[in-house]
Amino acid sequence: LKELYLFGKYSPHKTMSSRPSITVDQAINYLDILDKFIENDISAAIKAEANYLAALGLSTYIEMMGGLYSGDLSGKARDLNQHYICFINDFFHPDYKKVDSDLQHNNLKGLYDAVRSGLTHEYFMKKVSKIELEYTPQQSVHCGITFDPNSSPQIIFYVKQYFDDFKCAFAKYYSQLKFDDTGSMLSNFEKALQSINSSLLTKISQN
């Protein structure tokens, strides 16, 4: 897996198989390397106080992890926002689900549109918003994203809290994949990479 950074380079189409062609250990090896890359990059952004860059990276990681979890990184099976929210609902603290619901009730289409898409396409979240490195000691915040339609800014992204929550979610997914007796999570992991014809499958199977 020395060329994991070649994530964007794809191999020819492969036929989907009912049984995974890779092992759990090979998938875990990939996740171990991915985890190190994410830890290195986000920690560097935090150290440099590059708040918006860190928030953008973390938001896109959620979409990628949701794709691996759901079995599709292409968006052809279902909308990528559903993978994103599915991963948040199943692995993040319930407070995130509440923020997503509150955003939807205020015509902001949830976390995916207001936060992920805002950052990805405009480099800013929707509405009046800001990104902070961390909250002050006087604040009682247990979620990396807060939303209050009656305040200004309305949406606040707390990078360190969100990063901590992401790492917890990643660890939960990692553990479930590693100890899943049904094989469904490994199958979805492989299908996700197959959906974009990723050359990583070849690299993973060779290790």
Side-chain angles (χ1 to χ4, degrees):
L1 293 179
K2 295 180 180 179
E3 297 179 52
L4 278 176
Y5 61 90
L6 296 176
F7 189 86
K9 293 188 177 180
Y10 308 133
S11 59
H13 286 272
K14 296 181 180 179
T15 302
M16 297 280 188
S17 58
S18 57
R19 291 186 61 183
S21 62
I22 60 173
T23 67
V24 170
D25 286 345
Q26 289 167 336
I28 290 298
N29 188 31
Y30 163 83
L31 290 175
D32 284 337
I33 296 173
L34 180 64
D35 184 39
K36 289 179 183 178
F37 282 11
I38 292 174
E39 177 70 36
N40 177 78
D41 291 351
I42 297 301
S43 295
I46 289 173
K47 184 177 180 180
E49 297 185 355
N51 298 354
Y52 282 78
L53 182 61
L56 172 60
L58 287 166
S59 294
T60 56
Y61 296 154
I62 300 299
E63 184 172 341
M64 179 186 67
M65 294 305 299
L68 292 174
Y69 177 51
S70 303
D72 174 40
L73 284 164
S74 69
K76 295 177 181 177
R78 64 175 183 170
D79 290 341
L80 292 174
N81 65 335
Q82 294 180 17
H83 302 331
Y84 175 98
I85 292 301
C86 184
F87 190 81
I88 284 180
N89 288 344
D90 288 357
F91 295 103
F92 274 72
H93 191 280
D95 283 355
Y96 284 85
K97 188 174 183 178
K98 183 181 184 304
V99 172
D100 181 62
S101 177
D102 290 345
L103 287 166
Q104 291 185 47
H105 291 157
N106 282 270
N107 299 315
L108 289 172
K109 300 182 180 179
L111 284 169
Y112 186 86
D113 187 76
V115 177
R116 178 269 177 202
S117 293
L119 287 168
T120 301
H121 300 298
E122 303 173 45
Y123 209 64
F124 297 97
M125 296 183 291
K126 303 295 183 180
K127 292 295 185 179
V128 180
S129 61
K130 68 176 178 179
I131 297 176
E132 298 279 8
L133 191 60
E134 57 189 331
Y135 49 84
T136 64
Q138 292 75 28
Q139 294 173 291
S140 179
V141 177
H142 304 288
C143 181
I145 299 173
T146 61
F147 172 64
D148 182 350
N150 299 313
S151 67
S152 183
Q154 296 173 314
I155 306 173
I156 305 178
F157 189 119
Y158 296 100
V159 173
K160 287 187 176 181
Q161 179 67 49
Y162 194 97
F163 188 29
D164 287 342
D165 294 339
F166 171 82
K167 288 188 286 188
C168 288
F170 186 99
K172 290 177 184 177
Y173 169 77
Y174 182 103
S175 180
Q176 285 192 24
L177 174 62
K178 187 174 183 178
F179 298 108
D180 176 33
D181 293 332
T182 69
S184 62
M185 292 192 68
L186 180 62
S187 178
N188 279 354
F189 178 95
E190 182 176 57
K191 287 178 180 178
L193 294 178
Q194 287 175 331
S195 73
I196 56 171
N197 305 307
S198 174
S199 60
L200 282 177
L201 281 172
T202 302
K203 295 178 176 66
I204 290 172
S205 63
Q206 292 174 348
N207 286 270

